[in-house]
Amino acid sequence: TNTNSKIRSSAQGLFMMMTNGFGAIIGSVSAGWAIDKFFTQKFSTADSLAGFLDNTPAVNEFVNDFKGKIAHSLEVLHAGIQEMKSKNFAVDSIKPMGALYLTIKLDYVGKTTEDGKVLKDSTDLVFYLIEKAGVALVPFSAFGNSREMPWFRASVGACSVEDLQKMFPKLEAALAKLK
């Protein structure tokens, strides 16, 4: 597209708010809780934080542990999507290459829900998955691509491995209902 980057950025923000609404607030609070619980060191004073930061081996251990947990979560998500693909779901994923995100293809744009609604684009599919599977993804259309593109970004930043494992049956059930 030939959209001005300022307009595209504004549209992405608007899309985020429209797509997630209160879910963004709830998700942010939940993500903060999960990060605090599973990934964050706690410091009661600035001096204790400063002492920790001066301890290079401790900082390196913390960072490496955090990176390892994220990498493991990405691998679990990728393996689950690939398992769904082996069960003939119209899904795929690109092997994780870092960051907090996995690129996932859910080729269900144009499919019809049980109540007869056609999922005409990636936004419709996002809303369907939030409602039916409790799964929130960011469609590539949020980054300026076509809304018909079936590729999505999935974050593992606030998900435990257990959360991911519980998500797959819900995702499979929701996708299996589409015709």
Side-chain angles (χ1 to χ4, degrees), residues 44-65:
S44 56
T45 67
D47 287 339
S48 64
L49 173 59
F52 175 77
L53 293 175
D54 281 340
N55 184 346
T56 302
V59 171
N60 289 340
E61 180 182 340
F62 173 77
V63 169
N64 290 333
D65 180 61

Side-chain angles (χ1 to χ4, degrees), residues 42-101:
K42 302 266 187 200
F43 302 99
S44 56
T45 67
D47 287 339
S48 64
L49 173 59
F52 175 77
L53 293 175
D54 281 340
N55 184 346
T56 302
V59 171
N60 289 340
E61 180 182 340
F62 173 77
V63 169
N64 290 333
D65 180 61
F66 180 78
K67 286 180 180 179
K69 288 176 181 175
I70 293 295
H72 181 62
S73 292
L74 285 168
E75 288 296 334
V76 167
L77 181 56
H78 176 63
I81 295 295
Q82 293 304 306
E83 183 178 335
M84 288 176 64
K85 181 179 175 182
S86 74
K87 295 177 184 177
N88 294 317
F89 283 92
V91 301
D92 204 352
S93 58
I94 297 173
K95 186 167 176 47
M97 294 181 264
L100 300 169
Y101 307 102

